[in-house]
Amino acid sequence: MSALTDDTLPVTPRAMRDEMIVFAAMAVLLGLVPLTGIYPFFVMQALCFALLACAFNVLIGYGGLLSFGHAMFLGTAGYCTAHALKVWGVSPELGILVGIAGAAALSVVTGFISIRRQGIYFSMITLALSQLLFFIYLQAPFTHGEDGIQGIPQGYLFGIFNLAKPTVLYYVVLAGFLGGFLLIYRTINSPFGEVLKAIRENEPRAISLGYKTDQYKLLAFILSGTLAGFAGSLKVFVAQNASLTDVHWTMSGEIVLMTLVGGLGTVFGPVVGAFVIIAMQQYLAGFGQWVTVIQGVIFVACVLTFRRGVIGEIAHYFRRSL
Amino acid sequence: MQALYAQLLVGLINGSFYALLSLGLAVIFGMLNIINFAHGALYMMGAFCAYFLLSLTGIGYWWALLIAPILVGIFGMILERTMLQWLAGLDHLYGLLLTFGIALIVQGVFQNYFGSSGLPYAIPDYPQIGDWRGLQGGMNLGFMFLPVYRGWVVIFSLVVCIATWYLIEKTRLGANLRAATENPTLVRAFGINVPRMITLTYGLGVGLAALAGVLSAPINQVRPLMGADLIIVVFAVVVIGGMGSIMGSIITGFALGVIEGLTKYFYPEASNTVVFVLMVLVLLIKPTGLTGRAA
């Protein structure tokens, strides 16, 4: 079995410098968005999905675990945050914490169950668990079934920032995204991240070196699920609703697609992939069901000819790690 | 009591579909090492094939049972030759992603032309021999009323499952197949065309999915998304069964269908989720699945 990702380049000081330069450029560019005429709602949505895809990438790109059920964290955190804001009337920061706590609790349980099998079995189990949750949310009273939770008040973050103003909301979402991104970046470049890569490359050897690989995989799963939940909580403020589409397994497929297009196991790939896919959905919305077909074609094309993804190809061409 | 028997029958029928689909998945997984995410879409194509045969050419159910699996099987073999073949040696997750893409394309195209609503497919009313009017109508068994078509589905799929099991476990062809799964290079050295065998195996697995599609057409109507949600339940069945053996897939498929049926009678709220809950329980107790070998 060949490795999932093109990770032949070692982590060198130069690689770290490259990545920090790209990160700074990304932060500045995203920070300037409200000054341009770009529709902020679109960028905010893309940022939420970018964080989600980055969280997903921790598992697949560094742990070699393809979760096909990451929509369950997005949806669970969304429902928790929405319920806390609308029914309990808590402040936004508490609402986000409730969402993150919900996703974290879910990731502990689902992670404990799913890491018991490897490879494609792991993928099928995460998919089945997310479908189980879909049916639970379909029937549970607090989610309002097909209608979802709508008309969520946005409120004042820390009592100061009025989230109903698009520009304020934009910078809050951007800060959330950049914070989450840096946390992920720090994790994958830590000793913990190195062990994860070792497990991806050769699990039996990692075990023989004395690492309790199940614990590492479970921790990575919890981290990934919790951060995906953070993305789901932020998304509630952008979309002002929480609905079943966020939990359905087609959403999990879209998350995989975003990461695949950008580049599995690259630092910036998921961000680019999320922007590409969200832009595509935005501008191709008029084609109706053909969007599904186009997504399928992209999937097939990526797997057959373009396995490194956008960022992966660029990094490979310049022989840099990105 | 009537309702209980009726739910048991529904469970057996769903179990037949689970068994046929997970059997096809197991056959494909054995040879190609790919979890065929497109299985649900190909099941749907089988049903649509039967619908087209009837509405465009007037070819009825009985011939459709033969023709639809062959046509969809050929489609599958083309997929294998043009795409799946290129993934040999790569991480098997790429196979999952590729077939997922194929499923999106196929389902998207059908949804564009047929929307999401169902097309009816009538239960065949021939051969008419004496009082016997094809598979329509029903018979009174004393304790319950059995619609003939439903009984037919259960018996026919059981026969197909056993035949597939016999083909793979008891014939020379099956022995070659199993040997090629273990060691393709060695089997090739004996002069057996392994790539062709892989293509035919994929065709067989896909044909089983299409056959399940034809069988379900008169019961569930013909819908573009009929396979989309079913396939996830089948994945759960596969995780529970473990895909270690052909017989394991068959037994697990039928058993889970029956358990689902019983849940629908005793506690309907859980009928959608019972298979997934069982999956969790099995994973906690025996992670390799009931009949599974270690991954």
Side-chain angles (χ1 to χ4, degrees), chain A residues 4 116-117 120-121 139 249, chain B residues 29 94 232 242 269 283 287:
Chain A
L4 264 178
R116 293 169 150 251
R117 295 302 300 271
I120 36 185
Y121 281 99
Q139 291 171 352
W249 62 271
Chain B
F29 182 70
Y94 284 118
I232 300 176
E269 288 82 2
L283 280 169

Side-chain angles (χ1 to χ4, degrees), chain A residues 1-2 4 66 113 116-117 120-121 124 127-129 131-132 135 139 249 256 289-290 293 296 299 303 307, chain B residues 29 35 90 94 96-97 100-101 108-109 111-112 228-229 232 242-243 269 273 276 279-280 283-284 287-288:
Chain A
M1 291 290 151
S2 74
L4 264 178
L66 173 63
I113 296 164
R116 293 169 150 251
R117 295 302 300 271
I120 36 185
Y121 281 99
M124 290 196 282
L127 183 59
L129 287 173
Q131 187 71 356
L132 168 69
F135 281 121
Q139 291 171 352
W249 62 271
V256 181
Q289 281 302 324
W290 287 113
V293 180
F299 248 110
V303 173
R307 269 188 287 276
Chain B
F29 182 70
I35 282 287
L90 284 174
Y94 284 118
L96 186 78
L97 296 179
F100 177 67
V109 168
Q111 249 184 311
N112 266 303
D229 288 328
I232 300 176
M243 285 225 301
E269 288 82 2
T273 52
F276 303 114
M279 182 194 77
V280 170
L283 280 169
L284 291 177
T288 51

Side-chain angles (χ1 to χ4, degrees), chain A:
Chain A
M1 291 290 151
S2 74
L4 264 178
T5 50
D6 184 48
D7 197 38
T8 46
L9 295 165
V11 180
T12 58
R14 193 181 82 163
M16 294 281 278
R17 199 197 61 201
D18 286 352
E19 286 162 6
M20 288 324 289
I21 291 172
V22 175
F23 176 78
M26 178 178 80
V28 171
L29 275 178
L30 287 172
L32 293 177
V33 164
L35 304 179
T36 68
I38 303 172
Y39 187 42
F41 180 77
F42 156 70
V43 186
M44 283 192 274
Q45 217 191 359
L47 283 174
C48 294
F49 280 104
L51 180 57
L52 180 62
C54 284
F56 166 79
N57 188 39
V58 171
L59 274 183
I60 175 79
Y62 297 91
L65 297 164
L66 173 63
S67 157
F68 226 112
H70 251 51
M72 63 182 160
F73 304 118
L74 178 80
T76 301
Y79 276 131
C80 290
T81 303
H83 188 78
L85 289 174
K86 190 168 184 191
V87 181
W88 300 340
V90 300
S91 58
E93 61 275 12
L94 265 178
I96 292 176
L97 279 180
V98 171
I100 292 176
L106 177 69
S107 61
V108 171
V109 177
T110 52
F112 179 71
I113 296 164
S114 53
I115 58 156
R116 293 169 150 251
R117 295 302 300 271
Q118 291 166 345
I120 36 185
Y121 281 99
F122 174 83
S123 309
M124 290 196 282
I125 292 161
T126 46
L127 183 59
L129 287 173
S130 89
Q131 187 71 356
L132 168 69
L133 245 88
F134 175 82
F135 281 121
I136 291 175
Y137 288 145
L138 181 66
Q139 291 171 352
F142 88 99
T143 61
H144 301 285
E146 306 270 355
D147 299 335
I149 307 178
Q150 291 174 347
I152 294 152
Q154 287 164 310
Y156 286 77
L157 185 71
F158 303 120
I160 313 165
F161 302 111
N162 183 2
L163 295 181
K165 283 187 177 171
T167 316
V168 178
L169 180 62
Y170 178 80
Y171 282 110
V172 169
V173 172
L174 179 61
F177 164 73
L178 292 176
F181 185 91
L182 280 177
L183 182 65
I184 290 170
Y185 185 72
R186 184 71 193 85
T187 311
I188 56 184
N189 285 304
S190 69
F192 173 75
E194 296 299 323
V195 177
L196 268 188
K197 285 181 220 169
I199 295 173
R200 178 190 72 194
E201 297 301 331
N202 192 338
E203 186 164 355
R205 187 175 291 177
I207 294 172
S208 76
L209 287 172
Y211 289 110
K212 294 198 168 84
T213 57
D214 276 358
Q215 290 181 3
Y216 279 89
K217 287 199 283 188
L218 182 60
L219 258 181
F221 194 91
I222 295 170
L223 177 77
S224 176
T226 309
L227 279 168
F230 182 38
S233 294
L234 285 179
K235 191 171 166 291
V236 168
F237 292 95
V238 178
Q240 282 186 271
N241 68 38
S243 68
L244 278 172
T245 45
D246 287 352
V247 209
H248 197 251
W249 62 271
T250 44
M251 179 62 85
S252 301
E254 273 174 33
I255 302 168
V256 181
L257 182 60
M258 287 172 191
T259 317
L260 189 65
V261 166
L264 291 177
T266 59
V267 180
F268 295 96
V271 182
V272 174
F275 271 83
V276 170
I277 300 297
I278 296 293
M280 213 186 75
Q281 287 174 347
Q282 181 95 3
Y283 294 109
L284 299 183
F287 289 94
Q289 281 302 324
W290 287 113
V291 176
T292 324
V293 180
I294 295 167
Q295 284 187 341
V297 171
I298 296 176
F299 248 110
V300 170
C302 278
V303 173
L304 285 179
T305 61
F306 188 55
R307 269 188 287 276
R308 292 193 191 96
V310 176
I311 293 294
E313 291 289 349
I314 294 173
H316 183 77
Y317 182 76
F318 290 105
R319 299 195 55 70
R320 298 282 177 98
S321 129
L322 281 176

